[in-house]
Amino acid sequence: MEQLSGEIFYPSKDVLKKTRVKDWNQLADFAGENLEAFWEKEAKELKWFKKWDKVLDDSKKPFFKWFTNGKVNIAYNCLDVHLDTHRKNKVALIWEGEKGEHRSFSYFALHREVSSFANALKSLGVQKGDRVTLYMGRIPELLIGMLACARIGAIHSVVYGGFSVESLHERLEDSHSKVLIVADGAFQRGKIVPLKAIADEALQRAASVESVLVIKRTGEPVNMEYGRDIWYHELVNLPMINSKCPVEELDSEHPLYLLYTSGTTGKPKAILHTHGGYMVGTYSTFKYVFDIRDDDRYWCAADPGWVTGHSYIVYGPLLNGATQLMYEGAPNFPFPNRWWQLIEKYGITILYTAPTAIRGLMRFGEAWPNRHDLSSLRLLGSVGEPINPEAWKWYHRVIGKEKCPIMDTWWQTETGAFMITPTPTVPLKPGSGTKPFFGLKMDILDEEGNPVKANEEGFLVVKTPWPSMMRTIYNDPDKYVEKYWSKYEGMYLTGDSARRDEDGYYWIIGRTDDVIKVSGYRLGTAEIESALVSHPAVAEAAAIGLPHEIKGNAIHTYVILKVGVEKSETLREELIAHVGHEVGPIAKPENVEFVDVLPKTRSGKIMRRVLKARALGQDPGNLATLEE
Ligand code: WTA
């Protein structure tokens, strides 16, 4: 094995013996030199109604196309293909509710559910290319609804259930959704989030929605608007709805979904992914990184409403015919052993979660996990933000019992699939995602575009295309070019800063733009600021992220009140609640500080870096452009 520097965790003999990819370097070298051949080989493992003409078409870059003129459907590859195999009656999805209710679906059952759901959507007039928004908690209907859209070529847009009125409204409007699928509510730590009521408020401001399909989850009474709202369980049980639903044979580049994510400025943008390339990317990364096997019981604890859930709850696992768990609730409710209990109960073999959850659970001490039999685990995963070595080692020792390699996977909504990640046999360094996935060339550059020296910080870029890459920003192709492809000629700008050590291992430092990662959730300063400014008392606002022990980053805000408005503790609390109501509870600022001025450039842009430096007691650096 290679000589590496620093603290290294080598794979055990057992891992080396059992893992699919024995020689990482060999496959990486092959893919590095034969990008298209590598991806073509992966694509051939999936079912296509018609084979592609070209693997990669870069004639209109950065609008890359993959598997051109192929005919395919990702939902067909998630379900139908397994029905002729030993997997037909295999459990695809085990679901447990916060209160301990249990549901499970075989591949056969899931296929039936998805087909009926697709027919229900068709009965509402949903056609190929229409947008459908889904807004609910972690329940099977979310996954089923997404696959139902994909089956008929509709484009799903999932809005995370932790978002609120304004966030939902913006997304409904920007996507021009025809149908909204919403749960009556969601359970959260014993309380109920009234999703339908939030949606009703958002719908008052959104004109395109013709029908609202309501899923019963909590059973609490909700308002049903005649002619617009319909219960899913009533619709799907009508005699005209059955489970025979032919699958749409779609072009490889047919849009699969929109997923809104925060960027540098303004409103969240819809990242667009397509059937063919995204399917190949999620299938292949999931297969190699988690080294998935037929007897695995995989659990990704993320929310399907974020990209992690799209790629590694819905698509990656089902494409691979895996068995997985979906859990509705929070890690520490009612007690901090909830997760460990689930791992024991279901014999989970792979756990994929975020550093913030690890840090949060670490706080309660080892006694909680130690009460449970976690010996079924063979692999762990981390995603969403850099994992600090201390949390990594706790995860490795206390949860993985020093036998489970940790797959620290760096990627983004835009990339669709893992980009920097180990596979199980790669020697690990706590806090590093190791190296780029097969076929990817990445680099770290300085402002002028020169590669930085080992261990120096710079802008992380990707120099090769990959199949699951975003295709564009929906409704805004110019922004796609400007934001991701214009800083350096021909390279994808990730928005992260990173360094690479002497062994070629990548270490992510954080965002270089105005995106704040709170508990792994991606939020934009602009969203929080516009929510604050929408309050009648506020004249101007600025939001920044400051380090937080559990959340990674916490939101701090600075507010200039309108003339004549009195500063008060009550107003401070009201503003925090207002952001929660508009954007969602996850966006609630840690603090609101009332100020008289904000640092601005001469062109009027708020200099958040100055605010940040001040809050951290650091030198704000170059202030040449500072106006006030
Ligand atoms: C951050 C989440 C360090 C990074 C899949 C990236 C990470 C942003 C990691 C994308 C990781 C994600 N280590 N940082 N393993 N994974 N990030 O779009 O800043 O919600 O740019 O996708 O999360 O967030 P997004």
Side-chain angles (χ1 to χ4, degrees), residues 259 261-262 271 306-308 312 352 355 382-387 407-415 418 420 431-433 460 494-497 507-513 515 517 520-523:
L259 188 55
T261 194
S262 304
I271 305 300
W306 296 88
V307 75
T308 305
Y312 299 109
Y352 186 38
S382 175
V383 61
E385 52 175 325
I387 181 162
M407 303 295 100
D408 180 358
T409 60
W410 177 91
W411 59 295
Q412 308 176 299
T413 308
E414 293 88 340
T415 70
F418 303 150
I420 299 176
S432 165
L460 181 67
T494 64
D496 277 15
S497 70
W507 300 75
I508 305 295
I509 295 162
R511 300 288 307 188
T512 56
D513 54 11
V515 168
K517 278 276 180 164
Y521 295 134
R522 181 163 161 181
L523 294 163

Side-chain angles (χ1 to χ4, degrees), residues 518-590:
V518 183
S519 301
Y521 295 134
R522 181 163 161 181
L523 294 163
T525 52
E527 285 162 90
I528 297 148
E529 290 162 5
S530 57
L532 282 168
V533 175
S534 74
H535 188 281
V538 177
E540 280 188 81
I544 57 167
L546 293 177
H548 184 279
E549 210 182 318
I550 307 273
K551 299 177 184 173
N553 296 287
I555 300 164
H556 289 253
T557 60
Y558 301 85
V559 162
I560 303 179
L561 293 173
K562 286 196 182 142
V563 180
V565 179
E566 284 291 317
K567 299 171 187 171
S568 73
E569 195 48 43
T570 327
L571 180 59
R572 188 194 313 278
E573 280 163 21
E574 192 181 311
L575 292 177
I576 293 174
H578 179 72
V579 177
H581 179 261
E582 290 292 304
V583 187
I586 43 157
K588 276 191 189 170
E590 204 78 356

